[in-house]
């Protein structure tokens, strides 16, 4: 597949890394020659320095025979015009654009993206993706990472293994005997910085990070087995009242169960906008690092603090101060991945990486087969893929024990006729089933083949 990626920032570079590693023909376009040089020096891609919306630049990038264009520059307008040029001049079949402005994303204006108007096939909103990720973290505070599959019927949980975990030093194969009705599967383990797909004889040790896919009805039981308490979040303090914080606050207000939320915002204009948009949420104007203001927000009684300002270091420092004041849990927005190793020593419980959430959204529309969802784990180390099994798939009609999966691949959940079923070696995968698969990055291409790689199903 020939793909043009416009924008060589964090998201564009990460998508180029995914696709070039799978032997696609990738060209990166950016008006910053240094970013283009970084991509061509570190990845197996071609690079063009220039403005992505210019027809001659796209022509030099190979737009005349490209299969897809991904517009992920920092400008919404450049991304939109790039897709228009790609369609009108070069007839590129698939066009994906990252758009940040909420005005472009309002549902009443969705007609804008019709083929005879502004022909964008897929619109990705980083702010909406991050807000959704934040809400998922708040829903399961004992997990450092979460993602939903099968429309909420199954979830991926990232759980840190501590000394009070009941299944330490227990071979994973014995979990079925110990908890015969539990619909949960450990699909990935990170140990000493290395992520791998475990075998049945592998054990969990203190300090491991386990990725578990579980039936939504078994979440409480799963986290308890892993030594975690399932706490209900009733008092939440949001630091940052921009698009992300506002979206989270609105969602919390709309829920049937009562959640007391307070928003702290440093910028007066943004604070006033948030106050006007929210009905039940108290908005405080001031610096989230101000101990007095945190006290005014009753941070010592809060179940969680969610720090989503546009400054990583501010988010981290506010989280540390909130935890020191007695807040039970902290979640931070982190754009710079090099800061992530500092979070655990600082006592920060969970983080959201906008790059990862955006990359996951884009990958969902790139993967072959009937892919419904993709979640990127870590620094593009693995993917969790939800897909429908096609009649032409090599795995259709086979029992799980007979499918020749690579070592870095594990099935985490199967949905049959709308129900998540317990996984056994004798379970037969059939056409129409939906399946969630964990795959290390090196094995994603093989997973695509097993899901029937065909342009017909793109």
């Amino acid at each position: 597949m020939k793909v043009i990626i416009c924008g060589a920032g964090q998201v564009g570079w990460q998508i180029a890394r995914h696709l070039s590693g799978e032997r696609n023909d990738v060209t990166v376009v950016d008006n910053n020659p240094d970013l283009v040089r970084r991509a061509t020096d570190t990845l197996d891609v071609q690079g063009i320095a220039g403005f992505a919306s210019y027809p001659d630049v796209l022509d030099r990038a190979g737009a005349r025979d490209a299969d897809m264009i991904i517009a992920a520059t920092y400008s919404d307008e450049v991304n939109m015009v790039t897709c228009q040029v790609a369609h009108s001049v070069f007839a590129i079949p698939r066009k994906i654009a990252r758009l940040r402005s909420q005005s472009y994303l309002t549902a009443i204006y969705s007609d804008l993206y019709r083929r005879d108007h502004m022909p964008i096939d897929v619109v990705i909103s980083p702010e909406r993706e991050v807000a959704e990720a934040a809400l998922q973290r708040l829903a399961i505070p004992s997990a450092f990472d979460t993602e939903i599959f099968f429309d909420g019927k199954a979830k991926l949980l990232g759980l840190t293994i501590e000394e009070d975990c009941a299944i330490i030093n227990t071979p994973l194969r014995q979990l079925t005997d110990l908890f015969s009705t539990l619909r949960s599967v450990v699909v990935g383990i990170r140990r000493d910085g290395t992520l791998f797909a475990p075998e049945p004889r592998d054990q969990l040790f203190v300090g491991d990070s386990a990725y578990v896919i579980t039936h939504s009805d078994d979440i409480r039981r799963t986290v308890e087995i892993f030594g975690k308490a399932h706490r209900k979040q009733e008092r939440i303090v949001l630091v940052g009242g921009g698009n992300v914080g506002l979206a989270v606050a609105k969602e919390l207000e709309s829920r049937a169960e009562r959640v007391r939320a307070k928003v702290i915002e440093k910028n007066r204009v943004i604070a006033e906008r948030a106050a006007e948009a929210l009905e039940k949420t108290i908005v405080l104007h001031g610096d989230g690092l101000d101990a007095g203001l945190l006290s005014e927000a009753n941070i010592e009684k809060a179940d969680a603090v969610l720090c989503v300002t546009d400054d990583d270091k501010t988010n981290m420092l506010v989280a540390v101060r909130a935890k020191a004041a007695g807040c039970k849990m902290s979640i931070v927005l982190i754009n710079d991945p090099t800061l992530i190793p500092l979070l655990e020593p600082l006592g920060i419980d969970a983080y959201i990486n906008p790059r990862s959430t955006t990359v996951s959204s884009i990958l969902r529309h790139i993967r072959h087969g009937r892919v419904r969802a993709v979640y990127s784990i870590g620094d593009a180390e693995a993917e969790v893929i939800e897909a429908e099994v096609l009649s032409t798939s090599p795995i259709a009609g086979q029992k799980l024990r007979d499918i020749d999966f690579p070592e870095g691949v594990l099935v985490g959940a199967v949905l049959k006729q709308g129900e998540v079923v317990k996984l056994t070696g004798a379970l037969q995968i059939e056409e129409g089933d939906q399946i969630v698969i964990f795959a290390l990055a090196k094995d994603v291409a093989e997973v695509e083949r097993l899901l029937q790689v065909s342009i017909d199903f793109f």
Side-chain angles (χ1 to χ4, degrees), residues 237-297:
V237 175
L238 299 165
V239 181
N243 290 333
V244 174
L246 185 58
V248 172
K250 282 183 175 179
E251 175 61 27
L252 293 175
E253 282 192 344
S254 69
R255 293 184 173 179
E257 66 274 17
R258 188 181 180 189
V259 177
R260 298 177 181 175
K262 294 180 180 178
V263 175
I264 297 175
E265 172 53 51
K266 189 174 183 179
N267 183 296
R268 175 174 289 277
V269 174
I270 296 175
E272 290 176 349
R273 185 190 68 176
E276 291 175 0
L278 299 168
E279 299 176 0
K280 308 172 188 175
T281 305
I282 296 173
V283 179
L284 302 175
H285 172 237
D287 190 342
L289 281 170
D290 186 333
L293 191 60
L294 287 175
S295 179
E296 185 180 343

Side-chain angles (χ1 to χ4, degrees), residues 352-419:
I352 304 160
N353 185 338
R355 180 187 68 179
S356 293
T357 58
T358 305
V359 166
S360 295
S361 298
I362 293 174
L363 286 175
R364 181 168 67 245
H365 302 284
I366 291 175
R367 292 284 170 239
H368 290 112
R370 289 281 173 81
V371 172
R372 294 167 49 89
V374 175
Y375 187 64
S376 179
I377 289 180
D379 189 18
E381 298 158 275
E383 291 179 21
V384 183
I385 301 170
E386 176 191 334
E388 179 184 339
V389 178
L390 304 169
S391 60
T392 50
S393 168
I395 67 175
Q398 291 199 57
K399 295 180 179 178
L400 272 182
R401 67 165 70 98
D402 298 329
I403 301 174
D404 186 22
F405 288 115
E407 288 185 5
V409 174
L410 281 177
V411 174
V414 174
L415 187 76
K416 284 181 173 287
Q417 297 177 345
E419 294 295 327

Side-chain angles (χ1 to χ4, degrees), residues 162-212:
E162 299 172 339
E163 292 182 356
D164 51 359
C165 176
I167 55 175
I168 291 175
N169 303 332
T170 303
L172 295 178
R173 69 161 66 91
Q174 293 184 16
L175 297 186
T176 301
D177 300 328
L178 293 171
F179 311 100
S180 58
T181 60
L182 186 68
R183 292 163 293 183
S184 298
V185 178
V186 178
V187 294
I189 298 175
R190 187 187 302 281
R191 180 175 298 153
D192 298 327
T194 300
L195 182 67
F196 63 94
E199 296 182 359
R201 66 175 181 272
D202 284 324
Q203 304 175 30
L204 293 172
F205 301 122
V206 174
D208 287 351
S209 296
Y211 290 90
V212 185

Side-chain angles (χ1 to χ4, degrees), residues 60-343:
R60 285 192 288 126
R64 294 191 184 279
D65 56 352
D67 300 299
M68 176 185 295
I69 189 165
I70 301 169
T73 75
Y74 290 105
S75 167
D76 287 356
E77 289 73 22
V78 168
N79 293 339
M80 296 169 77
V81 172
T82 297
C83 288
Q84 181 70 68
V85 173
H87 173 79
S88 301
V89 179
F90 301 107
I92 296 178
R94 190 79 165 160
K95 298 162 288 292
I96 299 175
R98 180 178 65 173
L99 302 181
R100 285 192 172 90
S101 173
Q102 296 304 297
S103 182
Y104 289 135
L105 302 168
T106 304
I108 59 173
Y109 304 132
S110 60
D111 197 46
L112 173 65
Y113 306 113
R114 277 176 25 192
R115 291 184 66 84
D116 53 345
H117 291 167
M118 183 73 70
I120 302 174
D121 301 298
V122 179
V123 172
I124 303 294
S125 166
E127 283 80 5
R128 287 185 178 179
E129 301 291 341
V130 169
E132 180 58 36
L135 289 164
Q136 289 187 42
R137 299 289 194 281
L138 289 170
I140 312 174
S142 53
F144 66 82
D145 202 355
T146 59
E147 181 61 23
I148 60 172
F149 296 96
F150 300 152
D151 296 323
K153 294 181 179 179
K155 284 198 175 184
L156 170 74
L157 307 178
L159 300 169
T160 301
I161 307 302
E162 299 172 339
E163 292 182 356
D164 51 359
C165 176
I167 55 175
I168 291 175
N169 303 332
T170 303
L172 295 178
R173 69 161 66 91
Q174 293 184 16
L175 297 186
T176 301
D177 300 328
L178 293 171
F179 311 100
S180 58
T181 60
L182 186 68
R183 292 163 293 183
S184 298
V185 178
V186 178
V187 294
I189 298 175
R190 187 187 302 281
R191 180 175 298 153
D192 298 327
T194 300
L195 182 67
F196 63 94
E199 296 182 359
R201 66 175 181 272
D202 284 324
Q203 304 175 30
L204 293 172
F205 301 122
V206 174
D208 287 351
S209 296
Y211 290 90
V212 185
I213 294 178
T214 181
H215 190 295
S216 291
D217 292 343
D218 291 347
I219 289 175
R220 180 185 293 271
R221 188 177 173 206
T222 299
V223 298
E224 289 175 351
I225 288 171
F226 279 80
K228 308 292 182 182
H230 189 77
R231 302 189 304 268
K232 189 174 182 181
Q233 308 288 62
E234 296 179 335
R235 296 179 177 87
I236 297 172
V237 175
L238 299 165
V239 181
N243 290 333
V244 174
L246 185 58
V248 172
K250 282 183 175 179
E251 175 61 27
L252 293 175
E253 282 192 344
S254 69
R255 293 184 173 179
E257 66 274 17
R258 188 181 180 189
V259 177
R260 298 177 181 175
K262 294 180 180 178
V263 175
I264 297 175
E265 172 53 51
K266 189 174 183 179
N267 183 296
R268 175 174 289 277
V269 174
I270 296 175
E272 290 176 349
R273 185 190 68 176
E276 291 175 0
L278 299 168
E279 299 176 0
K280 308 172 188 175
T281 305
I282 296 173
V283 179
L284 302 175
H285 172 237
D287 190 342
L289 281 170
D290 186 333
L293 191 60
L294 287 175
S295 179
E296 185 180 343
N298 291 325
I299 196 68
E300 67 277 3
K301 296 180 180 179
D303 296 305
V305 61
L306 176 62
C307 306
V308 289
T309 75
D310 56 5
D311 184 84
D312 289 353
K313 298 178 182 64
T314 297
N315 292 337
M316 294 168 66
L317 289 172
V318 172
V320 170
R321 172 156 278 182
K323 289 292 291 286
C327 183
K328 299 180 181 67
M329 179 193 182
S330 58
I331 306 172
V332 297
L333 183 67
I334 295 292
N335 288 281
D336 182 356
T338 64
L339 295 174
I340 291 173
L342 301 177
L343 302 183

